[in-house]
Amino acid sequence: MLRQLKSLLGKRPREAVASADPRLREARALLDGGRPDQAEQLCNQLLKAEPGHAEAHGMLGRIAVHRGKHERAVRHFNRAIELDAGQPAFRQGLAIAQFSAGNAAAAIENLEAALALDPQDPSTHNNLGNCHRHRGDLDQAIACYRKAIALNGEYLAAYGNLAAVLRQKGEFAAAVETCRTALRLRADLPEVRFHLGMALAGAGQQDEAIATLRELASSHPDYPGLLVELGLALGKADRFEEATAFFRDAIARQPNSALAHNCLGAVQVVCNDIDGAMASFRKALAIQPGFAKVHSNLLMTMNYQAGWRQKRLFQEAQQFDRRQAQRLAPRAPAFANLRDPTRKLRVGYLSPDLREHSVAHFTRNLFSRHNREQVEVYAYCDVAAADMDGFTRSFEAQADHWRHISGMEDEAVAERVREDAIDILVDLVGHTSDNRLLVFARRPAPIQVNWLGYPNTTGMRAMDYRLTDAIADPPGTADELHSEKLVRLEHGFLCYQFDQPDPQPGAPPCLAQGQVTFGSFNNLAKMTPDVVRLWARILESTPGSRLMLKSRALVDGKTRERCAQSFARHGIPAERLEMLGQLPGREEHLRTYLKIDIALDTFPYNGTTSCEALWMGVPVVTLCGNRHAERVGASILQHAGLPELVAASADDYLQIARSLAGDPQRLTGLRGTLREQMRAAPLMDLRQFVDELEAAYRDMWQAWCERKK
């Protein structure tokens, strides 16, 4: 969602004393009545008669701010202060003008000076909070808003601002309580109701969030951003058709809302309308070319489509660098990091996925396995407080230094990385959602590395390296089509870190059912028309077989209907499909694998769910393509000791699936041995993986140390 800062212009400085001059009182009334020209004329007449009239200059400053003439406003307020330095209203007016002109640092100085003159003015504390929020210092902003409320418990503007910043930090429960307190003071505050709905959604209370936002929509249907936020809340509740309707309504009302187009695209991806999503993202980017999150969404979505060659994907990623990243790069980055090639390295990992997430199953024990004589681990956790879980606490316990960056602006995060003097900063996100690539664009660390979360190049000059392996990215053309230098880990770029003993794999279900069940638990967006066509061929050639699909999007009735229709076009009736939505709990999810015999990987975007299938004794068939996203499955199976399950063509894929389906004895054997085979294979050898990873880091560091300072 957009994080919009409420303008300081809405917070008029408190007048210290009422003016004794009737012409000044009249000028103030004219300005408040929307007649600034007449107000200015009166003030000029007053100054002609009394050139040293401080309040007249102050009023002219207010008029200039009203007109957007911020430099003129600064001159008038400075003159007013010269004439009467004891008026806090002049300092606050000057701060408003400076903030409006883009100088938040100077505004903070003058607001603090105003507080020195009158520390009991809640509006000054509120405005100071707005300045700190703008600069990314959210804790300072919160302290200012709370001080304003402490001074005046009915100062409603501060409640709204406080709720907004608490949401920005991911402290949704506190934001909810702040909104409820304000609404007890005054129930008819649409802004606070809006914040309440968003805070409830962030806290996971989707039903109440939707009800709150719907109630607001009934009384204020044109409230800015309301339809988009209602769509987002419905999307979080997996009510995708309703969410789509609200996004389309928002677009109908505001066709040039880049945010609405982006949100529509995001829900279209979830529901596997990839062509529609691409159109939505391109429209949003045309409206707002500097909207970096949209640009990332576009790049991410391109990986789902089979028609793009790697050269085109690389060129599109370079466009991101030119349009979004390069403008943020320092001209001559200077680092004070000691150039000692053998010293302990400060390695920072930055991710929004330090929680229960697919990426976490490849990082969950990494921090603790680093050699503390060689590596000092910094974790930059971008997980909102409401989303933190047992995984998050485990990551925090393993890290030497924990930095919670949720809600911080990119520049503030980059500054924290610089303060920590990080040697190697590792991005675990790429162009996936909630990324912080614009932190890396600011070059806060001498060495910057992309790994794991995104199956392609970032396209960014500021990203020095990308971790991969020789199967996922064979040496040759792949090197030319990445902005990063590819570093290939010998035994694979993935290390599956999973140790949950239950449920046990058990016997293949085909023994009891007398029919084979194929399955895929990947995101529905990965199920391209080519995938449906090939899976339909497999079902046709395997009499009595069924296909189980499990994806979050399949809780939605319309989405299930469209999915069934895509198979019906290839002669597969709905009764041969079983479609499941998201299940509560990891163990319940894993138990679903007890119901399938053979897992089918998607293409051209393979799924890392292959690892959990193998853990549950279920063999996986994958199709190896010509770029990273469609070679991850081959890397997983090769490093799990199952290269025979990697297909070189669609016909080969069909043949491997049919062969497995016709061999229940082999399926039974795999069910009983795959887990131990995985444990003994490079795919789960964490010690070997960390040794290779640290060796790669050391090579990167030594190369940097050898460069000229």
Side-chain angles (χ1 to χ4, degrees), residues 156-223:
L156 297 172
Y159 284 100
N161 289 331
L162 176 58
V165 177
L166 288 169
R167 282 194 307 102
Q168 196 171 338
K169 284 198 70 179
E171 297 179 14
F172 297 109
V176 167
E177 182 55 34
T178 298
C179 291
R180 293 199 191 285
T181 301
L183 290 170
R184 283 193 290 270
L185 294 170
R186 182 174 164 185
D188 61 335
L189 294 171
E191 179 182 356
V192 176
R193 288 203 174 276
F194 185 57
H195 284 306
L196 175 60
M198 291 189 290
L200 288 165
Q205 301 175 50
Q206 302 306 329
D207 290 342
E208 191 174 356
I210 292 166
T212 299
L213 293 172
R214 281 190 187 277
E215 182 182 352
L216 179 60
S218 66
S219 58
H220 295 78
D222 294 321
Y223 189 88

Side-chain angles (χ1 to χ4, degrees), residues 348-532:
Y349 292 94
L350 192 156
S351 176
D353 301 325
L354 301 180
R355 55 189 174 89
E356 175 70 60
H357 187 276
S358 58
V359 168
H361 294 296
F362 299 92
T363 56
R364 61 182 300 181
N365 298 314
L366 173 64
F367 297 172
S368 65
R369 295 299 182 91
H370 270 303
N371 180 351
R372 286 315 197 262
E373 294 182 358
Q374 296 294 321
V375 171
E376 189 173 356
V377 175
Y378 288 72
Y380 296 89
C381 174
D382 203 8
V383 180
D387 294 329
M388 291 183 174
D389 54 21
F391 273 65
T392 310
R393 291 187 289 274
S394 175
F395 279 117
E396 183 175 8
Q398 295 176 54
D400 297 305
H401 306 275
W402 184 259
R403 306 288 189 247
H404 188 221
I405 63 170
S406 177
M408 291 175 63
E409 298 296 329
D410 290 333
E411 177 55 44
V413 175
E415 186 57 35
R416 172 56 67 88
V417 172
R418 294 185 195 104
E419 291 172 358
D420 289 336
I422 296 299
D423 300 311
I424 300 176
L425 185 64
V426 184
D427 167 49
L428 301 177
V429 195
H431 285 289
T432 59
S433 61
D434 301 320
N435 73 71
R436 290 290 197 142
L437 288 176
L438 297 190
V439 169
F440 288 80
R442 290 168 163 84
R443 178 58 81 171
I447 299 171
Q448 302 191 148
V449 182
N450 172 256
W451 172 49
L452 192 59
Y454 178 66
N456 218 314
T457 178
T458 63
M460 293 172 56
R461 297 181 189 180
M463 199 68 74
D464 303 299
Y465 298 95
R466 184 165 180 269
L467 297 173
T468 183
D469 61 50
I471 297 174
D473 288 291
T477 56
D479 298 88
E480 301 169 4
L481 299 177
H482 283 75
S483 58
E484 310 88 354
K485 180 177 180 179
L486 296 181
V487 174
R488 296 175 174 86
L489 301 183
E490 182 180 355
H491 293 95
F493 80 102
L494 293 173
C495 184
Y496 190 53
Q497 299 163 38
F498 195 76
D499 53 11
Q500 184 171 324
D502 294 320
Q504 291 294 310
C510 64
L511 297 183
Q513 296 175 356
Q515 62 184 23
V516 168
T517 301
F518 297 99
S520 174
F521 296 171
N522 286 296
N523 292 334
L524 203 63
K526 296 180 180 180
M527 206 174 72
T528 66
D530 288 342
V531 168
V532 173

Side-chain angles (χ1 to χ4, degrees), residues 105 107 169 171 285 287 297 422 520 539 547 608 637 660 666 678:
K169 284 198 70 179
E171 297 179 14
L285 204 56
I287 294 168
N297 288 341
I422 296 299
S520 174
L539 291 171
L547 175 63
T608 54
L637 290 173
L660 285 169
R666 187 181 180 198
M678 283 184 74

Side-chain angles (χ1 to χ4, degrees), residues 14 16 86 88-89 111-122 124-125 151:
R14 187 176 68 182
L111 288 169
E112 290 174 343
L115 286 174
L117 294 169
D118 182 5
Q120 304 302 309
D121 184 1
T124 311
H125 288 283
L151 290 168

